Amino acid sequence: MSSRRAAWPLVAVFTAGYLASYLLPTIVGRLSVHLGLTPAQAGLVGSALLLSSASAGFTLAGRVERYGSRTPARAGLLLAAVGYGSAALAGSVPLVVASVVVGGFGSGAATAVAAAGIAAQRDPHRTSSLGLLTVSATAGALYLTIPHLGGGHRLPFAAIALVALLVWPATTRLNGPTAPEESASRVTGRLPHRRSGLVLAGGMLVWSMAQNALWGVSSRIGVVQVGLSEVTVGAVFAAALGAGLLGVMGAGVLGARVGRAVPIGLGTVVIAGSIVVSSSARDLASFATGEILWNTVYPVVLSYLIGLAASLDVRGRWAVLAGSASSVGVACGPLLGSVLSEEAGYPAMGLILGAATLLVAAPVTAVALHTGGRPLVPGSVRRRGGAPAALLAATTGSLSGAVPKLGSPEQAVTELRVRRRRLVRSAIRTAGPDGGPGQSNAYAATSDR
């Protein structure tokens, strides 16, 4: 199966796995209203869902390639359908919590399969942008319809279970390993870019925690602080997610033209400001402005973060691990937002979350600046600490076939270290077809100096 044909099943599975976190505000709000839970207790249920999702990601990290993508994807979708379906049917808090944990594990498994598959694509950023576009559109449609249908806490859970069932047929296209066949036999061993990967995972944890601390209580801000009805709040969320669609499409068009550091750094600063605006809102205009601006930029930055994690390891291990760390932050977000809003109020909560978002922008942007990962320019082969090797080869008289054509699959460069200078000189002198001067050699670009 070509990577181009494999993209749409991954997008479908990604949508089913991410949908629960996108519907978190309405889930937490309805649990509080219809099951008699306090905002902190409802946030804790949301955190249990997302922690279970994160645990599935950590469990499957590095194992999706071994099992193939179809089996874990089907298992995840089945658990999501059963778990969220049971939560929709349950009427007691213990049964709802238990069902939510099962459904959350299924969502995490589906997301892990999608993340590993996205990392194996030729253009991970474009695929992740398409996934965010799809899940935003699905969530936006649900935010427009759910407030008009009632149903208490049952309807959001039933919607997530239904989406998992609808995505099930797409798993028939996930027959083989998610990584390309040519990479499966060569890319083995320990995790590459460990320091950068750990910094990125830690940064995504804090970043996601701040985002979902606000997202988890946004519905309460609109209803309690601003005085809006649930229908109006749902319309604001739908408009915000619609703006997010435009943001994701813009990110897909922009692609790698400005690299990853600028969208991540500048976007995070804008997000921090919109968090403060939304949490301090006192009227519909300011509340809608904060939510729409935030939801426009949030998926853009997230798509670049997912692409950055995917570029660190073609097997998708950092994509899954960083995504799972992000899920831990997402899981802690609703509880953190509920506690901060109850203890300090919504405006003070926004200031705290905005400051945390700004603090994490620096290390994450630094990873984007200093980590090559897979090259941003299709067809280029990046040397460690230097210019793309394809450009180097083009200027040193090497064979034309050694330079990958623009748009060709990116190729790995293996460094051959030669310890003795005499061997290097000898290799340089005899590199040409007849040993003449001026003939270049690949060893010269990779030997120790």
Side-chain angles (χ1 to χ4, degrees):
M1 182 190 307
S2 67
S3 60
R4 188 179 299 273
R5 290 177 59 197
W8 73 263
L10 293 172
V11 169
V13 174
F14 181 92
T15 301
Y18 252 74
L19 186 60
S21 62
Y22 267 70
L23 293 182
L24 198 62
T26 191
I27 290 174
V28 172
R30 290 195 169 214
L31 286 175
S32 178
V33 172
H34 297 281
L35 287 183
L37 301 177
T38 66
Q41 290 172 336
L44 187 60
V45 175
S47 295
L49 185 159
L50 296 169
L51 279 174
S52 180
S53 178
S55 67
F58 286 121
T59 301
L60 288 176
R63 294 181 173 89
V64 175
E65 195 176 47
R66 182 190 311 168
Y67 301 138
S69 53
R70 175 193 278 184
T71 299
R74 286 188 164 182
L77 294 175
L78 179 61
L79 287 175
V82 171
Y84 296 125
S86 300
L89 298 174
S92 64
V93 174
L95 287 178
V96 169
V97 173
S99 300
V100 156
V101 170
V102 174
F105 194 90
S107 292
T111 303
V113 171
I118 288 171
Q121 297 293 304
R122 288 179 56 185
D123 191 345
H125 176 258
R126 179 171 296 180
T127 307
S128 62
S129 297
L130 185 58
L132 290 171
L133 187 70
T134 306
V135 71
S136 297
T138 304
L142 291 174
Y143 273 117
L144 283 175
T145 56
I146 286 178
H148 297 282
L149 300 178
H153 73 283
R154 305 179 190 277
L155 196 56
F157 289 127
I160 302 172
L162 179 61
V163 169
L165 291 177
L166 292 176
V167 168
W168 177 275
T171 60
T172 59
R173 304 299 298 271
L174 302 176
N175 294 321
T178 55
E181 291 180 4
E182 64 270 14
S183 299
S185 61
R186 290 186 291 179
V187 185
T188 57
R190 52 188 291 178
L191 275 169
H193 304 290
R194 285 195 171 189
R195 182 180 302 174
S196 297
L198 289 174
V199 171
L200 178 62
M204 288 183 67
L205 189 153
V206 178
W207 188 87
S208 298
M209 185 187 302
Q211 310 308 304
N212 284 274
L214 177 64
W215 187 237
V217 299
S218 289
S219 179
R220 301 297 299 169
I221 293 175
V223 172
V224 176
Q225 181 170 280
V226 185
L228 305 176
S229 66
E230 184 185 6
V231 173
T232 304
V233 171
V236 171
F237 287 164
L241 292 173
L245 297 179
L246 298 178
V248 172
M249 286 189 290
V253 172
L254 181 63
R257 289 179 176 85
V258 295
R260 297 188 182 101
V262 172
I264 291 174
L266 182 60
T268 301
V269 173
V270 175
I271 287 172
S274 61
I275 288 176
V276 175
V277 171
S278 181
S279 60
S280 60
R282 297 291 179 178
D283 53 39
L284 174 60
S286 56
F287 178 70
T289 299
E291 291 291 326
I292 291 174
L293 180 61
W294 177 43
N295 280 278
T296 300
V297 181
Y298 167 81
V300 174
V301 178
L302 181 60
S303 69
Y304 279 97
L305 289 174
I306 293 174
L308 176 59
S311 73
L312 298 181
D313 179 27
V314 72
R315 294 177 63 187
R317 289 171 292 179
W318 274 125
V320 175
L321 289 173
S324 299
S326 175
S327 296
V328 173
V330 171
C332 298
L335 181 60
L336 176 64
S338 298
V339 172
L340 286 177
S341 61
E342 286 187 350
E343 297 295 330
Y346 295 117
M349 177 202 71
L351 290 174
I352 295 172
L353 298 179
T357 303
L358 286 177
L359 287 176
V360 81
V364 173
T365 304
V367 172
L369 281 171
H370 298 294
T371 302
R374 247 183 290 174
L376 290 176
V377 181
S380 67
V381 184
R382 186 174 296 280
R383 289 192 306 134
R384 182 179 302 169
L391 300 180
L392 178 68
T395 59
T396 52
S398 56
L399 297 177
S400 59
V403 183
K405 296 181 180 179
L406 191 62
S408 63
E410 293 145 353
Q411 303 174 12
V413 175
T414 302
E415 293 191 359
L416 302 179
R417 298 189 178 275
V418 183
R419 299 185 179 277
R420 298 182 60 185
R421 293 179 181 270
R422 184 177 304 171
L423 293 178
V424 176
R425 297 193 188 97
S426 176
I428 294 174
R429 286 196 302 269
T430 60
D434 54 2
Q439 300 294 334
S440 177
N441 193 310
Y443 292 115
T446 58
S447 60
D448 290 332
R449 284 175 169 80

